[in-house]
């Protein structure tokens, strides 16, 4: 259970707590919060500057829709409490080290930490933010890590014809990475025509009408978390193409169309999940190395456009139902502390 302390205690910090289905509160929590790690290693105090709301995953947490079978695997590194409620959840915080070893003192760092104004953790859990990645933009690191792993799982390479179905944050980050492959052609499909400017700003083409897409793509990424989107991916994949499923449906089933040309085209549908490094990199890459790479990739001003909203930390309980509503406008929303 999440421990409650008086707000006026010197060792207290404040965190967003998902208290019940579609109800969030800000609650005082102990500042020495690294309860899922060896506390003998704790010692860095971080004052949070920004955090990012992961709409897809946090919507499922907020609505109490994390399947019981996934309660263990869905546990965030600095989570407090247990699913379904109450739970302190989140994994995209950037702050400044107020207390820590000489190499980290005063540095901007990224941590897989919840929405909390100050926290204590081990130095090994902090990734220094590189030059060229402002703290606000660096909050996208967890999403960029997901996109990077998906591109690895796809085996995408120069010259490939690539389709991304779903122009949300992860889909657009995938498109941005793939657009940098020499000679690759990248298209983003989304039913919302307002996503065009984001896709084109990252070097990808855009279409909001499925009839405009041909059916010979080498790789199709699906990120829309809808059965319709996944069936469209099957329809638009070429012979022996790879479909990378980057959505997580939570507790919702998805009806797939495995008739028609699915078998004759010998299609491959693969999952991608950030909890494991892609098999193509696993012998050499640790989770930390992958997260460091994600932060370096964010030293690109184009990605600022993907942050479309800001909310003050103290306003989160009131604003979360709107931010996490299905079909909510915009892409990434960041929390300012």
């Amino acid at each position: 259970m999440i421990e409650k302390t008086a707000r006026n205690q010197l060792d207290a910090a404040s965190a967003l707590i998902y208290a019940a289905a579609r109800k969030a509160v800000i609650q005082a929590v102990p500042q020495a919060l690294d309860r899922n790690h060896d506390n003998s290693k704790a010692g860095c105090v971080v004052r949070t500057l920004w955090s990012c709301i992961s709409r897809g995953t946090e919507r499922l947490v907020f609505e109490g829709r994390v399947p019981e079978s996934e309660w263990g695997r869905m546990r965030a590194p600095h989570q407090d409490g247990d699913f379904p409620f109450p739970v302190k959840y989140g994994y995209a915080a950037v702050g400044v080290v107020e207390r820590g070893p000489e190499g980290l003192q005063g540095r901007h760092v990224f941590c897989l930490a919840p929405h909390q104004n100050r926290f204590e953790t081990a130095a090994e859990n902090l990734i220094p933010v590189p030059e060229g990645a402002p703290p606000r933009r660096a909050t996208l690191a967890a999403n960029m890590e997901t996109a990077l792993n998906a591109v690895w799982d796809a085996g995408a390479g120069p010259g490939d014809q690539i389709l991304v179905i779903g122009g949300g944050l992860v889909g657009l980050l995938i498109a941005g990475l793939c657009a940098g492959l020499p000679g690759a052609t990248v298209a983003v499909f989304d039913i919302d025509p307002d996503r065009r400017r984001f896709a084109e700003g990252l070097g990808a083409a855009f279409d909001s009408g499925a009839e405009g897409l041909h059916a010979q793509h080498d790789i199709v990424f699906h990120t829309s978390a809808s059965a319709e989107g996944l069936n469209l991916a099957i329809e638009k994949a070429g012979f022996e193409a790879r479909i990378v499923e980057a959505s997580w449906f939570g507790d919702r089933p998805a009806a797939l169309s495995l008739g028609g040309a699915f078998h004759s085209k010998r299609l491959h549908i693969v999952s991608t999940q950030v909890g494991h490094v892609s098999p193509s990199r696993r012998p050499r890459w640790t989770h930390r190395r992958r997260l460091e790479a994600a932060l370096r990739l964010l030293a690109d001003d184009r990605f600022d456009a993907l942050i479309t909203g800001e909310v003050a930390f103290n306003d989160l309980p009131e604003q979360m139902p709107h931010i996490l509503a299905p079909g909510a406008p915009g892409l990434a929303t960041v929390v300012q502390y």
Side-chain angles (χ1 to χ4, degrees):
M1 293 291 293
I2 295 173
E3 297 183 27
K4 297 181 179 180
T5 62
R7 285 183 178 272
N8 60 358
Q9 286 186 344
L10 292 177
D11 66 342
S14 297
L16 181 78
I17 307 296
Y18 292 115
R22 298 194 61 76
K23 180 182 178 181
V25 298
I26 290 177
Q27 181 175 299
V29 292
Q31 186 168 311
L33 296 167
D34 208 358
R35 305 195 184 282
N36 298 314
H37 301 277
D38 180 358
N39 276 329
S40 67
K41 298 180 182 179
C44 292
V45 174
V46 178
R47 176 172 55 85
T48 311
L49 301 175
W50 300 91
S51 63
C52 184
I53 298 169
S54 179
R55 286 192 181 188
T57 303
E58 291 195 58
R59 179 181 294 129
L60 294 173
V61 175
F62 185 53
E63 295 177 350
R65 291 176 46 220
V66 177
E68 187 172 354
S69 64
E70 302 305 305
W71 285 1
R73 282 186 286 265
M74 276 285 292
R75 192 170 186 88
H78 291 75
Q79 177 178 324
D80 202 5
D82 299 305
F83 294 120
F85 304 106
V87 64
K88 181 182 72 177
Y89 197 83
Y91 46 78
V94 174
V96 62
V97 178
E98 292 187 324
R99 188 187 77 205
E102 184 177 349
L104 285 176
Q105 184 82 24
R107 291 284 305 272
H108 289 139
V109 292
F110 178 90
C111 186
L112 296 167
H115 308 292
Q116 183 165 319
N117 61 0
R118 182 176 272 101
F119 60 91
E120 182 176 353
T121 191
E124 65 192 35
N125 298 323
L126 304 177
I127 311 291
V129 175
E131 293 290 332
R136 180 176 179 269
R137 190 194 309 154
T139 60
L140 301 179
N143 301 101
M144 179 62 87
E145 187 180 22
T146 300
L148 178 59
N149 216 51
V151 173
W152 285 344
D153 281 331
D160 276 338
Q161 195 145 30
I162 298 167
L163 174 64
V164 180
I165 296 177
L169 178 58
V170 170
L172 288 165
L173 288 170
I174 290 171
L177 293 182
C178 290
L181 295 170
T185 58
V186 183
V188 174
F189 170 83
D190 197 285
I191 58 175
D192 182 356
D194 289 340
R195 301 293 165 90
R196 176 183 296 277
R197 61 188 177 93
F198 299 108
E200 292 180 347
L202 294 171
F206 179 84
D207 208 315
S208 58
E211 64 279 357
L213 302 172
H214 67 78
Q216 296 298 322
H217 292 93
D218 301 300
I219 294 169
V220 183
F221 294 93
H222 176 240
T223 70
S224 78
S226 69
E228 294 83 3
L230 185 49
N231 284 316
L232 181 62
I234 292 171
E235 178 186 338
K236 300 302 180 182
F239 180 69
E240 294 193 341
R242 175 164 290 196
I243 299 167
V244 179
E245 176 53 83
S247 303
W248 194 55
F249 287 75
D251 59 358
R252 292 183 295 112
L256 299 188
S257 178
L258 300 182
F262 176 79
H263 288 290
S264 63
K265 289 200 294 185
R266 296 177 55 84
L267 298 177
H268 302 254
I269 301 178
V270 300
S271 65
T272 183
Q273 203 272 346
V274 77
H276 298 281
V277 176
S278 175
S280 67
R281 301 299 192 280
R282 200 174 299 167
R284 300 168 305 282
W285 286 71
T286 62
H287 287 82
R288 183 181 181 90
R289 183 184 176 194
R290 185 181 61 185
L291 189 51
E292 289 171 341
L295 280 163
R296 289 195 302 272
L297 288 167
L298 286 169
D300 185 333
D301 293 345
R302 297 177 304 160
F303 293 121
D304 272 334
L306 303 185
I307 299 175
T308 56
E310 292 182 10
V311 60
F313 174 63
N314 289 334
D315 293 337
L316 278 175
E318 179 184 354
Q319 293 301 318
M320 273 302 202
H322 307 291
I323 295 168
L324 297 179
L331 293 168
T333 297
V334 293
V335 183
Q336 186 173 26
Y337 294 79

